[in-house]
Amino acid sequence: MKSFWGNFLKYGSYILIFILPIIYFGDNISYSYITSKAFVFYAFVEILFSVWIYTMFLDSSFRLSKKNWLYFIPLFVYVGWLTLTGLLGANPMLSFWASLGRNTGLLAIYHCVAFTIIIASLVKRNGINYLYKFLYYFVFGGFILSISIWLGDEGMNVFSFLKDSQGGGLIGNSSLAGTYLLFVLAFAFILLTFPTFSNIKKWWIGIMAGIILFSPIFFNLYGLFTGKGIIGSARGATLGILVMLGVTLFSYLFFAERKVLRIFGITGIVFGFLIFSIGWIQLINPNTWFHQKFDQSASSTRFIFWNAAQKAINKHPWMGYGPENFAIAFQQNFDPKITITNNLNDKHGNETWTDRAHNIYYDTGVSGGYPAILLYLFFIFSILYALYKAKYADKIDSLPAAILVGLLIGYLFQNLFVFDSLHSILALYVLAGIVFVLSDILDKNEYSKILPSLWLKTILAVVLILLCCTSLIFFVYRPLKKAIMYDIVIKMYIDKRPEYYKYLLQGSSIGDQYDTSSMANTIITYYSNNLMSIKADKGLTLYVENELIALSQYLEIITKTNKTDSRLYFSLVNAYLTEISLKDKPFDPVLSKHIFDLLDYNQQLSPNNLEIYWARARTYAWAGDIKNSIKEYQKAIDIDPTIPESHEFLINLAKVIKDQKLYEASMAQARKDIPGFSVTN
């Protein structure tokens, strides 16, 4: 019986790490590339962790030693600090659940830590053979992921269900897939050093690594034949691979026995650090060629994100805003230039509602202040230290140790340009767990058993089953049901959808803090952008009116508990304004006051978001107060004169009210503030 549970853990870990990057439920759930994996991961971990606790009481060989737990302290302290900042942060619920499209909140982190402890226990107990099998399944799952990338929208475009995968295959994003595959490649290289593997198996691992390395997101072999070029879409991860290989070389020299080689290794590491320092200084200096080239390739948004993040950290240097609350911090430190859109060749796109800084330093700093950054670096250092100790205890050879050092540095480097996902967080934590127990792997003759009485085992089993079932209900079933309901609502026919908003108020609270506003903004923006064609169809107009009324009522309820999402309040205001325009609704002083109250509150959340001023100007115009409408547009212009939309709205207002003097003055101001300005509509 005891060996059964040990095998259950072992094979359960193999299955989970293999299927995690490739699980996909189809388009029947919101953010299917993410949620398909997250909730399966949660379910697996909750079951495995319950079994591990039970097995640990029956067999002491599954227990980690005091030395192992000491290595885990930096990770626990880091996660503990994030927990504290989440509880005291801007939106504790969002910190815990995260959005459905991310699933990287505290709940995900806790599950990653739990799985890491399981893997550390299994490596300690079962030894190197288990470790290499586990890494093999890790690599094999990554290989299947890379096949989906080859066949996806940036590759051969074979499968229609991958048409919206953004180059990431079954992960759904090329940058997130690239980060995960960075770990996969490193583990594949380590497997090639395993002495007991047959040549056939090594050839197979090499083929898998080659297919990954030359996939469309890294060194794009397929792109050479299609004219897309050799550099794939995951540019940050591609740079991470190059950094990993360079650091691996110098680390291998550092671990060498010959002094001259160690000197070369140390020199290379120091020289590489200097090159990075100089390059980073050049990157963040807006007057340099390097900065301007990166600015063009990243559509300028990265520096806007980073500047806003630094301002947010400066405001809350000790505790930050809490995990997953970057969107809140970004709105408080909003840069209007992010709203520049098509009339300037889509320079920025429209990333007004971004929720990531795309930089691990800034994302971590916003989550937990400077202490979080230091604790994260301390955690990384603990991995390097444990690896160093294992190397000089002869528990790992020089080349695998050098590869792992290269992997860590390459991962940190590429994370300066992207953000973490559930997959990359899990991969990092699992790597840490493996390294922490490398120097403490048991011999077979060290196994010992604990034989508690039958009634104690029964009580423990019952308690664990109850706890596991409870967690499965609250952290898997109910959130998964909610995610499915979001997908049902967004895809529902317009004549039926108003009846379904009430179902989004039931069950789990996941999604209420971020995904609701995402859904609402998508629906309302579509209606407002197609207002004239909708008004031309009387039958469609009636359906849209009913939809906007039901959606507004639903959003009003959500605002009672969600006080931090600027997009939520803007979507509610936009719903009212769109309904007013659609119905040519006569002025209603009660509704007008309510809209102004919503805008006033939203302005506290995002003082520099020009869309708030534009909406207030529209509301004044509806009330017939043209003077204040003009003032609101002028306020928006004063905040940032380089934003063309503010000028356009004021010019169009002048046309509507036939004020030639205002029109000429507005055009003159626009051309002064924006050289070459012209009205686009």
Side-chain angles (χ1 to χ4, degrees):
M1 183 63 69
K2 299 180 185 69
S3 62
F4 169 80
W5 292 118
N7 287 330
F8 183 91
L9 290 170
K10 184 164 60 174
Y11 290 105
S13 66
Y14 293 157
I15 293 171
L16 178 56
I17 207 63
F18 169 68
I19 67 172
L20 184 60
I22 58 177
I23 305 169
Y24 179 64
F25 292 163
D27 60 352
N28 299 314
I29 184 173
S30 293
Y31 304 102
S32 54
Y33 292 112
I34 304 297
T35 50
S36 298
K37 300 167 178 60
F39 294 120
V40 170
F41 172 68
Y42 295 165
F44 259 84
V45 171
E46 287 162 19
I47 294 170
L48 289 175
F49 196 66
S50 300
V51 171
W52 177 75
I53 292 175
Y54 180 76
T55 307
M56 182 183 63
F57 276 92
L58 299 183
D59 186 343
S60 62
S61 64
F62 283 91
R63 297 182 179 182
L64 298 176
S65 67
K66 292 181 180 178
K67 178 182 176 181
N68 301 147
W69 289 118
L70 285 174
Y71 279 127
F72 271 97
I73 287 176
L75 174 59
F76 292 157
V77 173
Y78 170 65
V79 173
W81 183 257
L82 290 182
T83 301
L84 180 63
T85 61
L87 290 172
L88 301 177
N91 190 328
M93 291 297 290
L94 186 57
S95 291
F96 181 76
W97 288 108
S99 64
L100 287 168
R102 299 300 185 195
N103 267 296
T104 49
L106 291 171
L107 179 63
I109 290 174
Y110 298 154
H111 281 79
C112 289
V113 171
F115 188 66
T116 296
I117 292 172
I118 295 170
I119 298 304
S121 170
L122 292 174
V123 171
K124 174 178 176 289
R125 184 183 189 276
N126 298 309
I128 294 297
N129 286 331
Y130 165 78
L131 172 59
Y132 279 96
K133 285 183 181 178
F134 177 80
L135 294 183
Y136 177 79
Y137 284 107
F138 198 118
V139 171
F140 193 36
F143 167 68
I144 301 299
L145 169 63
S146 72
I147 294 296
S148 72
I149 293 171
W150 274 91
L151 301 178
D153 57 339
E154 290 190 6
M156 300 176 187
N157 205 13
V158 173
F159 296 117
S160 60
F161 70 89
L162 294 173
K163 62 181 174 56
D164 297 321
S165 62
Q166 301 179 61
L170 289 169
I171 279 185
N173 181 286
S174 61
S175 295
L176 303 186
T179 305
Y180 185 74
L181 290 175
L182 182 68
F183 285 88
V184 172
L185 283 171
F187 293 155
F189 297 154
I190 289 174
L191 289 175
L192 292 174
T193 70
F194 192 44
T196 62
F197 275 7
S198 66
N199 288 333
I200 293 178
K201 199 164 190 177
K202 288 185 177 181
W203 271 104
W204 169 236
I205 293 170
I207 290 171
M208 288 194 292
I211 290 174
I212 294 170
L213 189 62
F214 294 103
S215 67
I217 63 172
F218 292 136
F219 300 101
N220 190 1
L221 185 62
Y222 182 72
L224 290 178
F225 299 97
T226 60
K228 293 182 179 179
I230 189 65
I231 302 300
S233 54
R235 290 166 294 182
T238 304
L239 287 173
I241 292 173
L242 297 176
V243 171
M244 178 180 72
L245 294 175
V247 174
T248 296
L249 172 62
F250 292 121
S251 297
Y252 183 69
L253 294 175
F254 173 77
F255 288 135
E257 294 183 0
R258 293 178 58 186
K259 185 176 180 180
V260 64
L261 295 179
R262 297 186 66 180
I263 292 174
F264 274 121
I266 294 172
T267 302
I269 292 171
V270 172
F271 187 65
F273 179 77
L274 289 174
I275 292 176
F276 166 76
S277 300
I278 294 171
W280 184 254
I281 292 171
Q282 291 289 306
L283 179 64
I284 62 177
N285 185 343
N287 298 318
T288 63
W289 175 88
F290 193 27
H291 176 102
Q292 293 166 4
K293 291 297 292 184
F294 183 83
D295 190 48
Q296 294 171 7
S297 64
S299 301
S300 304
T301 56
R302 292 296 186 270
F303 294 118
I304 294 175
F305 298 161
W306 297 354
N307 290 336
Q310 187 60 61
K311 291 178 182 178
I313 297 171
N314 292 341
K315 288 181 180 178
H316 299 279
W318 293 105
M319 302 290 288
Y321 287 73
E324 300 300 308
N325 286 330
F326 180 81
I328 299 170
F330 183 71
Q331 287 301 317
Q332 286 186 6
N333 301 277
F334 189 78
D335 185 344
K337 286 185 172 55
I338 201 74
T339 61
I340 296 177
T341 52
N342 295 328
N343 58 337
L344 288 182
N345 299 317
D346 202 18
K347 183 179 180 183
H348 301 303
N350 195 327
E351 298 190 68
T352 301
W353 311 112
T354 186
D355 65 339
R356 289 292 188 274
H358 295 73
N359 178 291
I360 193 170
Y361 168 83
Y362 291 118
D363 278 322
T364 304
V366 171
S367 294
Y370 288 113
I373 296 172
L374 294 176
L375 290 172
Y376 182 82
L377 293 175
F378 185 40
F379 164 53
I380 297 297
F381 175 78
S382 72
I383 303 175
L384 293 172
Y385 177 75
L387 188 60
Y388 176 84
K389 296 291 287 186
K391 166 64 183 70
Y392 286 100
D394 292 325
K395 297 294 184 178
I396 184 172
D397 293 334
S398 296
L399 184 54
I403 293 171
L404 291 180
V405 173
L407 169 60
L408 276 172
I409 303 304
Y411 166 75
L412 289 176
F413 177 83
Q414 66 93 41
N415 256 14
L416 292 173
F417 309 102
V418 295
F419 53 87
D420 266 325
S421 66
L422 173 63
H423 301 82
S424 58
I425 293 172
L426 177 64
L428 177 65
Y429 286 13
V430 165
L431 170 62
I434 292 170
V435 171
F436 290 162
V437 299
L438 272 181
S439 59
D440 202 23
I441 293 175
L442 294 177
D443 295 325
K444 294 293 183 183
N445 57 11
E446 294 182 76
Y447 288 5
S448 60
K449 311 288 183 181
I450 298 176
L451 300 174
S453 61
L454 179 61
W455 71 273
L456 281 176
K457 290 193 291 184
T458 303
I459 291 175
L460 177 62
V462 170
V463 170
L464 288 172
I465 289 172
L466 290 175
L467 290 174
C468 183
C469 289
T470 301
S471 65
L472 286 171
I473 291 171
F474 283 95
F475 300 143
V476 179
Y477 171 72
R478 282 160 57 93
L480 183 60
K481 186 177 179 182
K482 187 71 167 285
I484 293 172
M485 182 53 64
Y486 270 111
D487 187 72
I488 291 173
V489 170
I490 198 82
K491 293 177 180 176
M492 183 68 61
Y493 286 116
I494 189 173
D495 59 329
K496 301 291 185 183
R497 190 156 55 202
E499 304 172 12
Y500 277 78
Y501 285 118
K502 60 185 178 183
Y503 296 115
L504 292 176
L505 298 171
Q506 301 173 4
S508 174
S509 61
I510 191 172
D512 293 352
Q513 305 302 316
Y514 192 81
D515 299 288
T516 291
S517 67
S518 176
M519 176 192 69
N521 186 61
T522 299
I523 293 172
I524 297 167
T525 300
Y526 175 80
Y527 290 152
S528 61
N529 289 343
N530 296 276
L531 195 60
M532 299 309 296
S533 60
I534 294 172
K535 291 182 73 171
D537 186 333
K538 297 300 182 183
L540 180 59
T541 298
L542 181 61
Y543 287 131
V544 174
E545 288 176 7
N546 293 334
E547 158 95 282
L548 290 171
I549 292 171
L551 181 56
S552 300
Q553 292 171 347
Y554 165 62
L555 295 179
E556 289 283 6
I557 296 173
I558 296 297
T559 59
K560 304 301 180 185
T561 55
N562 185 344
K563 300 293 185 181
T564 59
D565 187 355
S566 176
R567 179 172 58 182
L568 173 65
Y569 288 86
F570 177 75
S571 296
L572 179 54
V573 167
N574 205 14
Y576 285 131
L577 293 177
T578 303
E579 182 192 354
I580 290 168
S581 299
L582 186 65
K583 298 169 64 176
D584 293 322
K585 191 172 184 177
F587 177 68
D588 181 343
V590 175
L591 179 57
S592 174
K593 182 181 183 305
H594 183 52
I595 292 174
F596 281 129
D597 289 342
L598 291 170
L599 289 170
D600 289 343
Y601 182 78
N602 202 6
Q603 190 171 346
Q604 298 176 36
L605 299 178
S606 186
N608 292 328
N609 191 330
L610 303 186
E611 296 188 53
I612 296 171
Y613 296 89
W614 301 340
R616 191 181 281 119
R618 288 176 62 190
T619 309
Y620 275 124
W622 178 47
D625 189 347
I626 302 301
K627 182 178 179 181
N628 276 317
S629 182
I630 293 171
K631 284 183 178 179
E632 291 300 322
Y633 285 132
Q634 191 60 56
K635 287 179 184 178
I637 292 172
D638 292 341
I639 290 174
D640 192 332
T642 66
I643 306 302
E645 286 88 348
S646 299
H647 294 282
E648 289 186 6
F649 290 140
L650 182 56
I651 291 168
N652 287 332
L653 177 62
K655 288 181 180 179
V656 171
I657 64 175
K658 299 180 179 179
D659 187 332
Q660 185 65 26
K661 183 177 179 181
L662 175 62
Y663 175 81
E664 292 175 357
S666 301
M667 282 294 294
Q669 182 181 6
R671 288 168 177 162
K672 177 183 177 183
D673 294 335
I674 308 172
F677 172 85
S678 63
V679 179
T680 58
N681 54 33

